[in-house]
Amino acid sequence: MDWTEHLISFYNNLEPPEHLPHGIDWLYPQKDPATFQTATSFFKKFYSDCHPRQILLGINPGRFGAGVTGVNFTAPKQLLEECGIEHHLGKGTELSAEFIYRMIQAFGGADVFYARYFIGSVCPLGFTRDGKNLNYYDDKDLMTSIETFIVHNISQLVSFQTNTHTAFCIGGEKNYRYFNAFNEIHHWFERIIPLPHPRFIMQYRRKTLTHFIDQYLQLLKND
């Protein structure tokens, strides 16, 4: 089994809890066959090998990025223009994807980056409430209902050729706090390095964008 087969199996065998707290819905793009085929094309292009990789984990998919494409931190625009994956998902973009792919370009491009890293999420599926994105940790009842799901899926994700010395957490405050707490119990990684969240950077620190790209590159390449 190579990474592509592992990832296809991973997303095919997600078993999210059926019942979420009132008013909260799953964001589950891989349930759509066309979306899953697009994501599979991405996996086949960049992950058809068994080389060890380090993992970066964001929070959970959002409506305009992975919620559309099934590929973490990758909106339709980046999927086509940066990854060369043809699709029929439109031309939309989103701020986090824009930052991540500027960073990937600075790293050396998608082929070079994805040969060394996989970007996932602490919770592999997303959430919406009142038509808006919801983070897994923003509702206590939600967190309680999905904790077992999160733990199981991180365990499954890291069971393949994953470098367990270091993981990177995209989202340096709450996401890091929860991910690190889970890791202290389950011991998936020897250490977790927090990275500032791309949306925060693009919304509030865009004037110093180069600084944050350099920060990402330094932490990734120096580990």
Side-chain angles (χ1 to χ4, degrees), residues 135-171:
N135 296 326
Y136 71 85
Y137 49 66
D138 284 338
D139 184 285
K140 290 183 179 180
D141 291 335
L142 173 63
M143 186 69 207
T144 298
S145 68
I146 64 168
E147 183 172 341
T148 299
F149 177 70
I150 286 175
V151 169
H152 172 75
N153 287 293
I154 294 177
S155 298
Q156 291 296 308
L157 189 60
V158 303
S159 66
F160 191 56
Q161 297 285 355
T162 301
N163 182 333
T164 57
H165 178 265
T166 303
F168 297 91
C169 180
I170 301 175

Side-chain angles (χ1 to χ4, degrees), residues 14-212:
L14 292 175
E15 296 182 358
E18 293 184 8
H19 302 291
L20 295 177
H22 179 72
I24 299 176
D25 297 307
W26 285 106
L27 184 61
Y28 193 170
Q30 292 86 2
K31 286 184 69 174
D32 177 70
T35 301
F36 191 65
Q37 183 57 50
T38 299
T40 297
S41 296
F42 174 86
F43 299 149
K44 288 180 177 179
K45 179 169 183 177
F46 296 108
Y47 291 99
S48 292
D49 61 65
C50 299
H51 302 320
R53 286 175 170 82
Q54 288 183 293
I55 286 183
L56 296 81
L57 293 185
I59 302 167
N60 46 249
R63 290 177 299 144
F64 302 114
V68 177
T69 64
V71 179
N72 290 288
F73 285 96
T74 305
K77 176 181 173 67
Q78 290 76 31
L79 190 62
L80 176 62
E81 295 181 2
E82 304 293 340
C83 302
I85 304 296
E86 298 284 343
H87 59 76
H88 301 285
L89 302 174
K91 300 179 180 179
T93 187
E94 56 107 26
L95 291 178
S96 292
E98 290 177 11
F99 174 83
I100 287 294
Y101 277 88
R102 291 191 188 190
M103 182 274 295
I104 287 175
Q105 288 174 353
F107 191 92
D111 288 306
V112 176
F113 181 84
Y114 289 123
R116 292 183 55 181
Y117 302 99
F118 174 74
I119 304 180
S121 297
V122 169
C123 185
L125 302 178
F127 308 94
T128 59
R129 182 166 58 191
D130 299 326
K132 298 179 180 180
N133 288 331
L134 181 70
N135 296 326
Y136 71 85
Y137 49 66
D138 284 338
D139 184 285
K140 290 183 179 180
D141 291 335
L142 173 63
M143 186 69 207
T144 298
S145 68
I146 64 168
E147 183 172 341
T148 299
F149 177 70
I150 286 175
V151 169
H152 172 75
N153 287 293
I154 294 177
S155 298
Q156 291 296 308
L157 189 60
V158 303
S159 66
F160 191 56
Q161 297 285 355
T162 301
N163 182 333
T164 57
H165 178 265
T166 303
F168 297 91
C169 180
I170 301 175
E173 295 184 10
K174 289 184 178 180
N175 195 36
Y176 173 72
R177 189 190 318 155
Y178 282 98
F179 182 21
N180 197 53
F182 285 137
N183 190 61
E184 287 181 354
I185 297 171
H186 300 283
H187 307 291
W188 296 304
F189 304 98
E190 294 179 28
R191 64 172 180 164
I192 297 171
I193 296 177
L195 298 167
H197 198 279
R199 177 168 288 277
F200 170 81
I201 296 168
M202 296 296 281
Q203 283 186 313
Y204 303 109
R205 298 290 187 271
R206 191 184 286 260
K207 290 183 179 180
T208 56
L209 182 63
T210 301
H211 163 75
F212 286 102

